[in-house]
Amino acid sequence: MAKASHWRLNLGMGASLAFAGLPLLFLAFSFFLPLVNVFFFGLRTEGRWTAENLRTVLSDPYVRHLFSFTAFQALLSTLLSFVLGFPLGWFLTRYRFPGKSLARALTLAPFVLPPITVALGFFLFFGNTGYLNNALRAAFGLREPPLRLLYSLWAIVLAHAFYNAPVFARFIHAAWSSLDPSLEEACAVLGVSRPRAFFTVTLPLLLPAIFSAAALVFVLCFLSFAIPLSLGGARFATVEVGIYLYARVYLDFSRAAALGLVQVLVTLGLAYFYVRGSGFFGGRQGRTRPVPTLRFPSRPAHILWILWLLLSAMVFLGPIASVVADSFSRPLGGKPPGLAWYRTIFSPEQNPFIGTSPLGSILVSLEVAGLSTLLALLLGLSVSGALRVLRSRALEALLMAPMAVSSVVLGLALLLAFRNPPFSHLPEKFSLVLAHGLMFYPFVVRIVRPLWEGLTPSWVEAARTLGASRARAFLTVEVPLLSQALLVAGAFSLALSLGEMTAAAMLSRGELVTIPLAIYRFLSARRFGAASAMASLLILITVAAVAVWEWIGERSLRAYGQA
Amino acid sequence: MPMARLEVENLQKRFGEVVAVDGVSFAVEAGEILVLLGPSGCGKTTVLRCIAGLERPDRGEIRLDGRSLLGLAPEKRGVGLVFQNYALFPHLTVAGNIAYGLRHGRYRLSRQTRKKKVAELLDLVGLSGYEQRKPHELSEGQKQRVALARALAVEPKVLLLDEPLSALDAALRVELRRELRRILKERGTTSVYVTHDQEEALVLGDRVGVMREGKLEQVDRPQELYERPRTLFVAQFLGRANLWPAQVLRKEADKALVAVFGAQLEVEPLGPLSSSEVLLFFRPEWVELGEGPFLAEIEEADYLGDHWELRGKVHDFPVLLRTTGKPSQFVRFRIQRFLILPNASFLNHS
């Protein structure tokens, strides 16, 4: 039966329009207007329209360097991510071993792991006096640190690979395990060797997934902020860092805006490419037999895998473990610290390194995270509802537009908007609440919407024939059925907000110093112990969010699978 | 006991270019079970959804005890619906599902009353003690019973059932349809039941309406429908049918004479016919084997346990016969009962 007709009947056209209108109105006011204002800034000087800012920005050799460097490091990062991620995807698909579901869950972790904790982890693990160099020096009796990675392109690329190799692993694992195993069996029957079957059948079928992961990873690396800022220094700045420097250090808003305008155009192009790419990947095959798995470890040749996994574990777990270890072991005042670093970060006293009290920073972070999660859930739910009622690609593009704008540009837009009424009447922290709400509601939509669309209409119809009104049916049937998805989305949004640093750096003012910024400032001041303690706190929160996702999320989807 | 008379008048509903329901009219008396029978896509489910208020008809009238239901929201109609896929709420227990309408519907009952009512209904459908189960822990047959109990809980004036047994296996279907009829009759609920299964229709319905391409062809008591189909479609859709071309030789006041393959048959007086070409309709069991004017050459014989089903030809025309004895290659027979149906432009041999 036509779903649309059922909805129109149940809701009425006017109510449907109101449903779609509310989020649209909110976005118009809090997103599109501030964004257009940024473009005005970039295109106007002294009340005249002019392309002068754009021209100066584009002809500036430093800006050109920014763009070419940004693209270059993104390309290298994508390649390295693929090289590290492909074997992991292969391993997850082909082998079964104890703790496999935990390993699969861990591939999600980097997605929510705050970049600043990774940057800190790289300092502590790969740094000149880091755990790795110290261990190598001790092992080989060297005087100088053998690996000099920091403040180089390679530090940035390696950190990006840390983030994005699991993205590749996840995409490849998903595509590979949905391939029909009879294809490879057919090759065997036809007398084709296994490597040849891989290159002529399996790999071509995985290419769409690889390309779509590559496009996504490239965009993520292109827009990376915290990692180049803290690991690259001024020499290795990306466009995001450039906009931040213009806006917050040189206070040249026109240039920042012009650079932002150029960046939006570039990212729109990249987003288009990504959407095209993921279109290839969209059609999943019907349910086939699962790909047969081998027990691991079960053969002598598996020693190679074990070596590779140890290397991967060093890259992936080394930095994170270093952060936690450092928070408990870095001496404070010449003595072993015990919990002293944690006492430091829960102190209500003004701290000169971060410009506010550490406890105040934690509290304001929690406040911003809580409020922005609420906003993201409300926006996500109403956008999902609107897209369910009115199926229109144009509307979808409008309602999901904040996804296509980088965090620095969004931060810039809100920074400028909050200088004038009516926003200037609001407390400053609301600028960050708004930024995070806008950044994270698309994730809520992505989690909630497919589930909502998958609910059979007969559940609501049953409720209504039993005497419940449309609104009551929504509250007593749809909301409870979506509650698990909302919980997962909420946990995710909370963790992302607590770890987000780009918009937080753009919008920080006075007391508005969130945890990642405090970590960055401790790090810049080389107060590693306090930075590690705060970063450990974030890691704990991230792990909790991933646990919620893996356990509640997947289970609820299974239980409600079309009863 | 809620008792109500449902009338549907000239109902029409189209989806885009497709006319799903094309001028359907019928009435269901208080306490009666009407079965709408037809192949899939004939519009029977759409009729139900219109009565429930889940679709808005383009034209026509739906009345309950003389009051129009059109314009009323589904929750205000007092019409219950048992869904084909049951639509049990997966987040609620069995008790929660059955009590849903008593908690969120028109009559919001207290916790104690709800509990008592749920126990009563579970007893009625034979699932006492299942209160705390979740839907995914139930078998298909148990889900079916819970869906029925949930719909009955709010004491609807009319209960609509949309192929409620179609997801069950054959043995369970037979058991449940008997029980369903007992429960509906016990509560005296006016019911409209939709199915594509003719046996189900005959067993369950006080009356059966046969639908085809959005139109209601005939509404009658099951026996009447089987023995006196008024259209070719009804004759073929319900049970097994033989249809032979025949010519009307003579029409008189008290009888008529019809010629079939050289034999002449005397029939009851015929109504007005557009042509002298008619169809002779008879069921396999209306035939006496052994002697008679017709000789069939048997081509296939299927053994079905208590009888054989024979497919053969009479004068190159297919015939379906049944016998309890051992079949032979040539069978002579006489037609004991038959009907004359108006000829159609083409014959559809089932």
Side-chain angles (χ1 to χ4, degrees):
Chain A
M1 237 22 63
K3 221 178 190 178
S5 101
H6 135 83
W7 258 79
R8 232 169 268 146
L9 179 67
N10 284 355
L11 252 169
M13 209 52 202
S16 317
L17 282 175
F19 214 152
L22 274 176
L24 211 53
L25 204 67
F26 183 85
L27 287 183
F29 194 63
S30 63
F31 173 71
F32 288 109
L33 271 180
L35 192 66
V36 166
N37 187 37
V38 169
F39 298 156
F40 276 13
F41 249 94
L43 293 170
R44 286 170 77 97
T45 317
E46 290 152 9
R48 299 177 288 112
W49 289 99
T50 168
E52 204 188 306
N53 289 327
L54 269 184
R55 246 198 317 273
T56 17
V57 160
L58 286 176
S59 59
D60 184 340
Y62 178 65
V63 168
R64 286 189 186 175
H65 166 76
L66 278 184
F67 271 98
S68 60
F69 174 74
T70 305
F72 180 61
Q73 62 81 20
L75 193 66
L76 279 183
S77 304
T78 308
L79 280 175
L80 187 63
S81 304
F82 173 70
V83 169
L84 282 175
F86 190 87
L88 284 180
W90 180 333
F91 188 76
L92 281 176
T93 312
R94 276 298 156 106
Y95 295 101
R96 60 175 183 279
F97 49 92
K100 183 170 174 174
S101 63
L102 181 70
R104 210 176 314 166
L106 280 178
T107 61
L108 251 184
F111 193 67
V112 270
L113 206 58
I116 189 65
T117 61
V118 175
L120 176 65
F122 267 63
F123 263 100
L124 297 171
F125 190 68
F126 291 114
N128 292 348
T129 56
Y131 287 96
L132 185 60
N133 271 322
N134 286 348
L136 288 174
R137 265 195 335 203
F140 299 104
L142 301 172
R143 195 169 289 179
E144 291 292 305
L147 291 172
R148 292 182 178 274
L149 280 172
L150 290 187
Y151 305 111
S152 74
L153 172 63
W154 294 110
I156 298 175
V157 169
L158 197 61
H160 282 164
F162 168 91
Y163 256 96
N164 296 307
V167 173
F168 270 105
R170 233 181 143 80
F171 269 63
I172 286 164
H173 172 52
W176 205 333
S177 40
S178 72
L179 282 189
D180 189 345
S182 12
L183 294 175
E184 285 192 2
E185 289 162 7
C187 289
V189 173
L190 292 170
V192 178
S193 71
R194 291 198 45 186
R196 213 180 168 83
F198 173 79
F199 283 109
T200 54
V201 174
T202 310
L203 191 62
L205 287 170
L206 293 179
L207 275 184
I210 293 172
F211 277 129
S212 105
L216 178 65
V217 167
F218 185 85
V219 171
L220 291 175
C221 296
F222 193 87
L223 297 179
S224 174
F225 173 78
I227 284 176
L229 181 70
S230 41
L231 290 180
R235 255 189 74 208
F236 299 105
T238 56
V239 180
E240 288 280 279
V241 174
I243 298 173
Y244 167 76
L245 292 178
Y246 277 124
R248 294 307 308 267
V249 179
Y250 314 135
L251 298 178
D252 183 348
F253 288 125
S254 300
R255 279 204 151 196
L259 197 52
L261 181 57
V262 177
Q263 194 217 34
V264 164
L265 294 178
V266 173
T267 47
L268 275 180
L270 291 175
Y272 174 78
F273 185 72
Y274 172 62
V275 169
R276 285 293 302 273
S278 58
F280 287 120
F281 187 44
R284 260 208 168 190
Q285 298 181 341
R287 190 174 285 260
T288 60
R289 258 181 316 138
V291 174
T293 51
L294 271 175
R295 201 157 51 79
F296 180 86
S298 61
R299 293 180 190 177
H302 285 169
I303 191 80
L304 287 174
W305 268 119
I306 291 175
L307 289 176
W308 175 261
L309 289 173
L310 283 176
L311 192 74
S312 303
M314 194 181 78
V315 174
F316 290 112
L317 300 178
I320 298 308
S322 309
V323 170
V324 180
D326 187 69
S327 73
F328 291 109
S329 63
R330 184 169 293 271
L332 180 62
K335 283 180 292 183
L339 291 175
W341 289 117
Y342 286 90
R343 274 195 293 278
T344 315
I345 63 159
F346 284 110
S347 151
E349 279 161 41
Q350 183 77 14
N351 186 307
F353 299 109
I354 61 171
T356 178
S357 78
L359 184 65
S361 163
I362 290 172
L363 291 180
V364 81
S365 289
L366 289 174
E367 202 181 343
V368 166
L371 289 172
S372 64
T373 295
L374 205 63
L375 178 62
L377 286 177
L378 283 175
L379 261 179
L381 202 58
S382 60
V383 165
S384 304
L387 291 177
R388 195 183 134 99
V389 179
L390 300 166
R391 282 148 198 283
S392 137
R393 300 208 74 157
L395 184 72
E396 184 170 349
L398 273 181
L399 287 174
M400 299 295 273
M403 248 169 54
V405 174
S406 81
S407 318
V408 156
V409 171
L410 181 64
L412 180 63
L414 292 175
L415 182 70
L416 295 176
F418 269 72
R419 299 199 309 176
N420 297 313
F423 289 110
S424 54
H425 298 304
L426 292 170
E428 267 150 9
K429 64 183 161 230
F430 278 88
S431 62
L432 193 53
V433 168
L434 205 54
H436 285 179
L438 289 170
M439 283 163 71
F440 303 137
Y441 85 81
F443 291 106
V444 178
V445 174
R446 286 188 91 147
I447 293 171
V448 169
R449 192 177 160 208
L451 206 64
W452 200 352
E453 308 229 322
L455 297 185
T456 8
S458 39
W459 280 326
V460 169
E461 291 173 356
R464 301 203 66 194
T465 58
L466 292 169
S469 65
R470 182 65 190 90
R472 213 174 168 88
F474 174 73
L475 289 176
T476 56
V477 176
E478 282 168 306
V479 169
L481 287 175
L482 296 176
S483 63
Q484 311 256 24
L486 288 172
L487 188 67
V488 168
F492 238 71
S493 168
L494 204 70
L496 286 173
S497 169
L498 284 172
E500 200 279 337
M501 186 170 128
T502 317
M506 286 298 283
L507 295 166
S508 75
R509 287 270 177 91
E511 307 273 282
L512 186 58
V513 176
T514 60
I515 298 175
L517 267 186
I519 296 173
Y520 173 66
R521 290 182 183 176
F522 277 132
L523 177 63
S524 305
R526 296 296 179 264
R527 305 292 295 176
F528 286 115
S532 296
M534 268 209 172
S536 301
L537 201 67
L538 277 190
I539 291 168
L540 188 70
I541 291 165
T542 305
V543 169
V546 172
V548 167
W549 164 278
E550 277 294 322
W551 296 112
I552 297 180
E554 302 227 329
R555 210 179 293 173
S556 83
L557 301 189
R558 231 173 293 136
Y560 291 162
Q562 305 305 309
Chain B
M1 207 46 46
M3 292 270 263
R5 182 174 195 274
L6 176 76
E7 291 163 278
V8 171
E9 224 176 83
N10 193 26
L11 197 70
Q12 276 204 12
K13 173 75 189 172
R14 51 167 66 224
F15 296 106
E17 290 299 296
V18 184
V19 183
V21 180
D22 190 5
V24 164
S25 303
F26 59 83
V28 194
E29 301 303 324
E32 188 187 27
I33 303 174
L34 177 79
V35 176
L36 291 180
L37 173 68
S40 60
C42 72
K44 51 197 194 308
T45 295
T46 309
V47 172
L48 278 202
R49 292 175 59 86
C50 286
I51 300 172
L54 302 172
E55 301 286 352
R56 202 193 301 271
D58 299 324
R59 205 177 300 162
E61 183 54 80
I62 300 169
R63 275 186 295 264
L64 191 55
D65 284 334
R67 273 182 50 228
S68 173
L69 288 183
L70 297 183
L72 284 182
E75 63 267 25
K76 303 229 160 71
R77 295 193 173 198
V79 172
L81 176 55
V82 177
F83 289 78
Q84 183 169 12
N85 58 4
Y86 319 129
L88 295 180
F89 304 127
H91 59 303
L92 299 179
T93 58
V94 165
N97 265 284
I98 296 176
Y100 183 90
L102 306 173
R103 195 170 159 204
H104 304 291
R106 283 204 288 185
Y107 312 104
R108 309 217 166 134
L109 306 181
S110 70
R111 185 182 288 266
Q112 276 94 354
T113 329
R114 287 205 305 263
K115 211 171 160 188
K116 225 182 90 196
K117 195 97 196 233
V118 167
E120 227 175 83
L121 282 155
L122 279 177
D123 185 46
L124 181 76
V125 298
L127 281 180
S128 295
Y130 279 71
E131 279 88 346
Q132 294 315 313
R133 298 279 185 100
K134 282 284 188 83
H136 66 91
E137 298 168 323
L138 300 177
S139 71
E140 291 298 298
Q142 291 167 338
K143 283 184 199 170
Q144 218 307 304
R145 291 160 198 255
V146 174
L148 179 68
R150 181 179 72 176
L152 287 173
V154 288
E155 303 194 355
K157 292 188 188 133
V158 173
L159 184 64
L160 310 173
L161 302 102
D162 185 6
E163 307 232 12
L165 304 180
S166 64
L168 308 177
D169 59 54
L172 194 57
R173 209 152 58 208
V174 170
E175 183 196 323
L176 267 181
R177 74 185 179 210
R178 212 179 303 126
E179 205 176 315
L180 203 55
R181 183 170 165 88
R182 169 185 69 79
I183 291 170
L184 292 179
K185 280 293 157 191
E186 207 173 288
R187 299 179 63 98
T189 311
T190 309
S191 311
V192 182
Y193 185 106
V194 156
T195 182
H196 66 266
D197 180 327
Q198 34 167 308
E199 215 177 279
E200 212 170 287
L202 296 181
V203 173
L204 260 162
D206 292 322
R207 283 186 303 145
V208 176
V210 178
M211 278 191 76
R212 177 204 185 192
E213 289 172 9
K215 291 196 168 73
L216 195 54
E217 295 245 328
Q218 185 177 353
V219 188
D220 254 318
R221 290 184 300 110
Q223 199 180 343
E224 197 70 10
L225 205 64
Y226 186 79
E227 290 179 359
R228 310 195 72 84
R230 278 205 299 272
T231 69
L232 189 60
F233 178 78
V234 174
Q236 284 185 311
F237 189 73
L238 209 66
R240 300 181 166 276
N242 286 299
L243 289 155
W244 285 358
Q247 290 85 40
V248 181
L249 297 179
R250 243 186 358 253
K251 281 168 83 173
E252 289 169 16
D254 55 342
K255 63 179 183 188
L257 207 59
V258 172
V260 186
F261 299 141
Q264 294 195 358
L265 300 168
E266 207 171 86
V267 300
E268 286 174 21
L270 299 169
L273 291 168
S274 57
S275 147
S276 66
E277 300 291 316
V278 292
L279 286 173
L280 182 78
F281 160 75
F282 60 97
R283 298 204 182 272
E285 66 268 25
W286 295 353
V287 164
E288 191 187 16
L289 303 187
E291 53 194 76
F294 304 107
L295 180 70
E297 185 183 356
I298 304 304
E299 293 168 334
E300 280 172 56
D302 295 335
Y303 179 61
L304 295 173
D306 57 339
H307 70 274
W308 291 79
E309 197 169 273
L310 311 176
R311 283 164 208 281
K313 287 226 160 101
V314 175
H315 293 283
D316 275 344
F317 225 81
V319 67
L320 193 67
L321 302 170
R322 53 183 293 164
T323 175
T324 48
K326 195 169 163 34
S328 53
Q329 200 191 346
F330 290 95
V331 176
R332 199 157 265 292
F333 65 94
R334 163 199 338 268
I335 304 172
Q336 286 180 310
R337 273 176 62 189
F338 54 84
L339 287 174
I340 299 295
L341 295 175
N343 203 345
S345 52
F346 75 100
L347 279 182
N348 182 14
H349 299 293
S350 51

